[in-house]
Amino acid sequence: MKVSWPGIVAVALIVIAITGYKVHTKHATVAGVDGLPRVLLVADLSEADSADACAEIIHSVRAARERGVQVQELSHDSKSEMLRRYGILTIPTVLILDRGGQVISRFEGEDPQTVTAVRTQLARLH
């Protein structure tokens, strides 16, 4: 029986590509279950009890959680890999993620326009 090396190499490359894709998508998926959007909040969570704009953002995100939106909160000094993955450099940062973990909306800082935009976007989530 004659071995067709180009055919074997082609099949091996296809198997490697499919396996790599599945591993990548498994690790890249960080979004909510059942199709719910996921909100990622990165902030100085100790400011939740203050009277500043950061506290308003934290309270808005937590209110969304109470309505059933999947939320993950990270402290600004967290060692989470998600800070690197999403390039978080500013606090507070609020990310709205789709089912695949892709950023739908990104809000950084705590100026009045950002607070309003965060509230508006979170109100649209179910």
Side-chain angles (χ1 to χ4, degrees), residues 36-50:
L36 293 175
R38 180 170 189 175
V39 176
L40 176 63
L41 168 66
V42 181
D44 182 351
L45 300 174
S46 67
E47 291 186 19
D49 296 326
S50 66

Side-chain angles (χ1 to χ4, degrees), residues 36-39 56-71 94 96 117-126:
L36 293 175
R38 180 170 189 175
V39 176
E56 290 183 51
I57 290 173
I58 294 169
H59 290 274
S60 296
V61 170
R62 289 178 177 173
R65 177 189 296 142
E66 290 174 12
R67 290 192 330 270
V69 175
Q70 186 177 1
V71 171
V94 177
I96 311 293
V118 168
R119 283 187 182 155
T120 301
Q121 188 71 16
L122 291 174
R124 294 179 181 157
L125 301 178
H126 298 67

Side-chain angles (χ1 to χ4, degrees), residues 25-36:
T25 56
K26 179 179 179 184
H27 292 293
T29 302
V30 294
V33 285
D34 298 327
L36 293 175

Side-chain angles (χ1 to χ4, degrees), residues 8-105:
I8 291 172
V9 170
V11 170
L13 289 174
I14 291 170
V15 169
I16 291 169
I18 291 171
T19 304
Y21 174 77
K22 287 186 175 192
V23 168
H24 173 73
T25 56
K26 179 179 179 184
H27 292 293
T29 302
V30 294
V33 285
D34 298 327
L36 293 175
R38 180 170 189 175
V39 176
L40 176 63
L41 168 66
V42 181
D44 182 351
L45 300 174
S46 67
E47 291 186 19
D49 296 326
S50 66
D52 65 3
C54 186
E56 290 183 51
I57 290 173
I58 294 169
H59 290 274
S60 296
V61 170
R62 289 178 177 173
R65 177 189 296 142
E66 290 174 12
R67 290 192 330 270
V69 175
Q70 186 177 1
V71 171
Q72 182 172 357
E73 294 181 7
L74 294 175
S75 178
H76 67 287
D77 57 357
S78 168
K79 302 293 186 212
S80 174
E81 182 268 335
M82 291 178 72
L83 296 177
R84 182 191 57 76
R85 176 185 297 171
Y86 291 111
I88 308 286
L89 300 174
T90 304
I91 60 167
T93 295
V94 177
L95 301 179
I96 311 293
L97 307 174
D98 69 9
R99 291 180 62 195
Q102 299 299 313
V103 177
I104 296 171
S105 299

